[in-house]
Amino acid sequence: MSQPLYESNLKSVPLLHRGKVRDIYGIDERHMLIVTTDRLSAFDVVLPTPVPGKGEILTQLSNFWFGRTHNLVPNHLVDMPLEQVVPDVAERALLVNRAIVVRKLKTVPIEAVVRGYIAGTGWKEYQKTSSVCGITLPAGLREADRLPEPLFTPSTKAAVGMHDENISFAQAATMVGRELAEQVRHASLSIYAECAAYALARGIIIADTKFEFGVDENGRLTLIDECLTPDSSRFWPADSYRPGTSPPSFDKQYVRDYLERIGWNKKPPAPVLPADVVTHTVEKYREALIRLTG
């Protein structure tokens, strides 16, 4: 495994934006370079401890799903070799398996969340209101229960250090326009249905996930950012799934649980992760990659 990359600092291409996990560089008017680092965010705060190899795992898994779903919705990947984009050999060596070249698109300013099971903030909201994002659910659901059908429950896209907020579909339609909101909902539910069935056959339940979309110059909806990774999804082992409690997972829920246990207030600065938590997190991410892609 390569050395952990907490932050990239390329000189041969200009930095456009540094997100929670990804550093984005400009190539030309139509293309960008996305570098997935080993940073980890929890509760919308970037942690100070890198998770070695995480960026490579996320990139490989996203690319796998982009390949499986391109028949459902186009994605932002461009077949442009890294040598053409990053001329510096030393810089290019840092980017192996963790950088992709993509099209520049206009971002749709909502997070497209799909929930197949009741967990996380959805479970907390259900306990208070018997609904999630304005959608009334059956009474008597237990934590981690499978929902009668997958739900599209959008949220706002918060800046680094801010919290995403769940919104109703009507609110999303007001923000982006009803036609585009309906396209996002249809694409999100289609991708989830296809990939959740694939994952289940390989022993992983995709409990929920979130997608991001953009539109091109012709207004065509396009899948961007990442796709069905342990950072953006809840992956549960199917063989030990038991509703009524929070299942074990192959995602960053393990880190969230640790941070909850130590009583962190979920505000910056975030605490340093101990070595054993980092090691277990890498193992969980890597097992998800192996199970899903072979």
Side-chain angles (χ1 to χ4, degrees):
M1 186 181 294
S2 60
Q3 290 296 309
L5 180 68
Y6 187 80
E7 184 176 281
S8 66
N9 290 286
L10 306 182
K11 305 299 184 214
S12 55
V13 282
L15 179 69
L16 299 180
H17 175 69
R18 212 181 289 283
K20 294 171 186 172
V21 174
R22 290 167 178 79
D23 297 341
I24 302 175
Y25 293 85
I27 297 174
D28 55 36
E29 291 184 356
R30 300 187 62 185
H31 302 99
M32 304 185 302
L33 177 74
I34 298 181
V35 179
T36 304
T37 71
D38 295 330
R39 295 193 295 270
L40 179 69
S41 73
F43 305 109
D44 295 308
V45 178
V46 178
L47 306 182
T49 314
V51 177
K54 171 178 171 286
E56 297 167 352
I57 292 169
L58 297 188
T59 301
Q60 291 177 70
L61 194 49
S62 283
N63 289 348
F64 170 79
W65 291 122
F66 284 140
R68 281 197 66 88
T69 60
H70 74 276
N71 60 315
L72 300 175
V73 60
N75 60 65
H76 64 168
L77 289 183
V78 174
D79 186 15
M80 186 182 294
L82 208 55
E83 292 82 359
Q84 184 178 331
V85 174
V86 182
D88 186 278
V89 175
E91 289 188 343
R92 206 161 58 235
L94 297 174
L95 307 181
V96 175
N97 295 327
R98 66 166 75 244
I100 55 174
V101 180
V102 303
R103 288 181 290 151
K104 279 186 179 177
L105 299 162
K106 182 180 179 182
T107 303
V108 179
I110 57 172
E111 298 271 11
V113 180
V114 178
R115 302 175 191 272
Y117 296 72
I118 188 80
T121 59
W123 168 243
K124 291 178 181 178
E125 184 178 343
Y126 172 78
Q127 289 178 289
K128 296 176 182 177
T129 66
S130 297
S131 65
V132 176
C133 294
I135 302 170
T136 301
L137 297 177
L141 290 180
R142 299 161 296 176
E143 183 178 12
D145 261 335
R146 184 174 183 175
L147 295 169
E149 60 182 12
L151 300 179
F152 175 72
T153 59
S155 72
T156 60
K157 278 175 59 68
V160 175
M162 304 295 287
H163 294 289
D164 297 338
E165 293 183 7
N166 291 342
I167 56 176
S168 67
F169 177 77
Q171 288 173 297
T174 298
M175 291 173 63
V176 306
R178 176 162 289 275
E179 182 179 355
L180 182 56
E182 288 176 350
Q183 288 182 38
V184 169
R185 177 170 62 184
H186 175 75
S188 301
L189 291 171
S190 297
I191 295 169
Y192 177 80
E194 165 86 15
C195 298
Y198 170 89
L200 189 58
R202 282 147 186 82
I204 288 183
I205 293 170
I206 303 178
D208 56 39
T209 192
K210 64 179 179 180
F211 304 110
E212 294 193 38
F213 292 91
V215 291
D216 64 15
E217 61 275 11
N218 298 315
R220 185 172 65 161
L221 190 70
T222 305
L223 184 61
I224 65 171
D225 194 54
E226 64 182 323
C227 185
L228 293 158
T229 73
D231 265 19
S232 64
S233 317
R234 281 187 174 84
F235 291 156
W236 296 338
D239 58 1
S240 58
Y241 166 68
R242 300 289 185 276
T245 185
S246 180
S249 64
F250 299 121
D251 54 61
K252 66 180 178 181
Q253 188 60 43
Y254 178 79
V255 175
R256 293 192 196 100
D257 290 345
Y258 165 77
L259 294 170
E260 295 263 23
R261 283 199 306 274
I262 65 171
W264 176 47
N265 64 4
K266 303 176 186 177
K267 297 178 181 178
V272 172
L273 296 179
D276 65 314
V277 172
V278 173
T279 299
H280 284 304
T281 301
V282 173
E283 291 171 352
K284 287 174 176 291
Y285 275 50
R286 188 162 297 283
E287 183 168 355
L289 175 68
I290 293 169
R291 284 201 186 196
L292 291 168
T293 70

